[in-house]
Amino acid sequence: MLALKLLLVPAFLALLTLAGRLFGPGIAGWLAGLPLVAGPILLVLALENGGAFAAQAATATVAAVLALVSYSLAYAHVAQRAGWPVALAAGFAAWAAVAATLALASPGLGTALALALATLVVAPRLFPKVRPEASGRFSGAELLLRMAAGALLTLAVAAAAARIGGTWSGLFALFPVLGSVLAVFSHRNSGAGHAATLLQGMSRGLLSLVAFCATAAWLLPSRPLAVAFGAAVAACLAAQLATMRRAS
């Protein structure tokens, strides 16, 4: 499991960086909406704590889409007027405020799903109107730095999630690991418009994450882990294909 945490997210970060170079920030953000961090964390939680605990965490992760989108909106808007440190701080503050509210409310799966879907319908219209600049150059050393940052954030989030109960575990599973690494490096290299476009693309791709987590939350209490996660992956891929035309 340690190898999974250390290798999977950095590998995806490298692929997303390449996708951003080839196809633009919108497509890279759309791909970043996949459950690349939340999926492995929920799997680890299920293996270590059982299906019922993981189902509670998956339900919280569905609701946490609102917190992740709040991070993205705060970063994107503040980035138009300030540098990346201020934008990142604003994004993290927005995530923390919404996550704390969700933890107090502790919505059930039906409410969490309705909240997430409503967020995904409204969110793309709330991003600033920008024209992304051309992608800036980056070195192999910077790519390694992105991958290392992703690995460290994933380890920190997974370590915190394992100690704080099912609801907060699910919320931390959707901490903006990819969103922060990709947005900061895009902001530094290619400008605030590039970062905002990437984050908007991520909001368009989150339906796959919602499908994955909602399916897992529904099936984990009553089905074997392999069945629950297999169905969750199938639902995730179907949702991603359904949003492909909108992303492109």
Side-chain angles (χ1 to χ4, degrees):
M1 288 305 153
L2 180 61
L4 180 70
K5 297 172 188 176
L6 285 174
L7 298 177
L8 188 60
V9 171
F12 276 123
L13 274 168
L15 291 174
L16 291 172
T17 298
L18 179 61
R21 293 286 293 176
L22 294 176
F23 305 113
I27 295 297
W30 171 69
L31 292 172
L34 287 162
L36 307 178
V37 177
I41 288 176
L42 291 174
L43 176 59
V44 170
L45 291 174
L47 291 172
E48 294 179 350
N49 301 282
F53 184 96
Q56 181 186 2
T59 298
T61 303
V62 173
V65 166
L66 177 59
L68 181 60
V69 170
S70 297
Y71 158 83
S72 297
L73 286 169
Y75 189 109
H77 281 280
V78 174
Q80 308 312 307
R81 304 183 297 276
W84 70 262
V86 177
L88 185 63
F92 282 166
W95 182 91
V98 176
T101 302
L102 292 171
L104 289 173
S106 190
L109 180 57
T111 302
L113 184 57
L115 180 63
L117 293 176
T119 299
L120 296 186
V121 169
V122 174
R125 303 181 179 92
L126 301 180
F127 281 85
K129 306 298 183 184
V130 297
R131 177 171 296 179
E133 302 88 342
S135 298
R137 294 181 177 274
F138 61 90
S139 64
E142 180 171 316
L143 179 59
L144 291 176
L145 183 59
R146 293 188 187 199
M147 295 169 68
L152 289 173
L153 275 172
T154 303
L155 282 173
V157 170
R163 292 171 170 80
I164 52 182
T167 297
W168 271 107
S169 294
L171 293 171
F172 266 103
L174 212 55
F175 187 83
V177 174
L178 294 178
S180 58
V181 175
L182 290 171
V184 166
F185 281 95
S186 294
H187 194 170
R188 289 178 65 250
N189 288 337
S190 306
H194 199 278
T197 303
L198 186 146
L199 291 170
Q200 184 180 41
M202 185 183 297
S203 75
R204 296 183 187 278
L206 285 172
L207 183 62
S208 60
L209 183 143
V210 171
F212 177 92
C213 294
T215 302
W218 176 43
L219 294 177
L220 277 170
S222 59
R223 297 290 186 271
L225 295 187
V227 173
F229 278 98
V233 169
C236 166
L237 295 177
Q240 191 73 358
L241 288 174
T243 59
M244 182 182 296
R245 183 184 299 274
R246 185 174 61 173
S248 60

